[in-house]
């Protein structure tokens, strides 16, 4: 083999080896790049999913917070409306009682209250107080209950009567004022409505 042929053969061998090594290096580099790309994509996906979860949780917290605020506002508005309606209701009830106080039925009610109080006192002294607006009724009531000490109260209690048994330190309060206060304190709107506006029984 001539020197030129040897040189050509050496050159061909070197070039083939260089191509093989460069091809292998390129394949390894491409594999490394693809691996890095997959890892980067997986990491980006994880971060995106985590961010979505965090944003979802933030949105849910914000929704719950706003919902709670709206519920509190709604309850306050309902409470205020109930108080307004209760005020109107008890103003109307007081007007009805004032009208009732001008009827014969009211006089009969006073007689029954006095009779019950006298019966309860038995032989003990009893003082029965009438509202100042009922001063015109005291004579008639005294005729029916001559053994009772009937007096006009210094203070108005909106009708009805109050009785005191001093020896037993007992107050019998049948005044409309106390009954109205008790009714107002114990009054609650029933909001458990079903369809059609009927309450649940």
């Amino acid at each position: 083999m001539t020197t030129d042929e040897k040189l050509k053969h050496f050159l061909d061998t070197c070039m083939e080896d260089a191509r093989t090594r460069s091809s292998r290096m390129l394949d390894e580099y491409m594999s490394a790049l693809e691996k890095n790309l997959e890892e980067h994509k997986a990491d980006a996906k994880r971060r995106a999913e985590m961010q979505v979860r965090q944003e979802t949780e933030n949105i849910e917290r914000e929704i719950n917070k706003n919902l709670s605020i709206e519920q509190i506002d709604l309850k306050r508005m309902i409470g205020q409306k109930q108080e307004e309606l209760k005020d109107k209701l008890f103003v109307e009830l007081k007007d009805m009682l004032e009208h009732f106080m001008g009827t014969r039925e009211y006089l009969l009610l006073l007689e029954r209250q006095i009779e019950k109080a006298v019966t309860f006192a038995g032989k003990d002294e009893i003082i029965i107080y009438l509202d100042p607006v009922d001063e015109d009724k005291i004579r008639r009531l005294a005729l029916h209950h001559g053994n009772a000490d009937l007096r006009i109260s210094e203070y108005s209690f909106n009708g009805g009567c109050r009785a005191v048994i001093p020896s037993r330190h007992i107050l019998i309060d049948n005044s409309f004022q106390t009954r109205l206060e008790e009714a107002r304190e114990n009054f609650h709107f029933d909001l458990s409505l079903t369809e059609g506006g009927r309450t649940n029984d």
Side-chain angles (χ1 to χ4, degrees):
M1 195 182 274
T2 64
T3 304
D4 286 341
E5 289 173 341
K6 287 180 182 177
L7 280 172
K8 187 176 182 309
H9 177 69
F10 177 72
L11 182 62
D12 289 343
T13 304
C14 287
M15 289 297 290
E16 185 64 30
D17 183 55
R19 276 194 291 271
T20 303
R21 280 190 291 156
S22 68
S23 177
R24 189 168 52 244
M25 286 172 62
L26 185 61
D27 288 343
E28 289 173 359
Y29 182 67
M30 288 299 292
S31 291
L33 282 178
E34 286 176 4
K35 185 180 177 184
N36 284 343
L37 178 62
E38 290 303 317
E39 287 175 357
H40 178 73
K41 283 162 69 176
D43 185 52
K45 185 179 179 183
R46 273 195 306 274
R47 280 188 278 118
E49 287 173 351
M50 187 181 298
Q51 188 173 1
V52 167
R53 275 198 305 274
Q54 287 175 346
E55 288 299 321
T56 303
E57 288 171 4
N58 289 341
I59 290 168
E60 285 175 356
R61 275 197 296 271
E62 192 66 25
I63 289 171
N64 289 337
K65 178 183 169 186
N66 291 337
L67 186 60
S68 294
I69 291 169
E70 285 180 17
Q71 285 175 336
I72 291 168
D73 289 344
L74 187 60
K75 284 179 183 176
R76 186 168 45 247
M77 285 171 56
I78 290 171
Q80 288 173 351
K81 196 64 180 173
Q82 285 179 345
E83 283 302 310
E84 288 174 16
L85 291 173
K86 191 190 286 190
D87 288 342
K88 287 181 183 178
L89 178 66
F90 278 88
V91 164
E92 288 179 18
L93 185 56
K94 193 173 178 183
D95 289 344
M96 291 170 70
L97 283 173
E98 286 175 6
H99 176 73
F100 174 70
M101 288 169 68
T103 66
R104 174 170 167 68
E105 286 77 15
Y106 174 62
L107 187 62
L108 294 173
L109 174 68
L110 289 177
E111 288 179 0
R112 285 195 303 273
Q113 287 180 349
I114 292 167
E115 192 171 329
K116 283 183 182 178
V118 169
T119 302
F120 179 78
K123 295 181 181 179
D124 293 325
E125 177 195 6
I126 185 166
I127 304 167
I128 297 173
Y129 293 96
L130 298 174
D131 192 276
V133 296
D134 294 324
E135 189 170 3
D136 60 328
K137 300 175 183 69
I138 195 163
R139 284 188 181 178
R140 175 170 178 161
L141 292 168
L143 287 174
H144 290 86
H145 305 282
N147 57 337
D149 182 1
L150 298 181
R151 301 181 189 179
I152 298 298
S153 171
E154 293 180 24
Y155 308 100
S156 174
F157 41 79
N158 299 324
C161 68
R162 289 178 174 160
V164 177
I165 305 172
S167 61
R168 290 195 268 173
H169 305 289
I170 291 175
L171 168 67
I172 302 170
D173 191 348
N174 288 315
S175 67
F176 288 174
Q177 177 180 319
T178 299
R179 295 291 171 88
L180 279 171
E181 288 170 358
E182 288 172 355
R184 184 180 176 86
E185 187 177 336
N186 296 322
F187 181 85
H188 297 289
F189 286 96
D190 184 6
L191 298 178
S192 58
L193 297 177
T194 59
E195 289 182 17
R198 296 186 178 179
T199 56
N200 294 323
D201 292 331

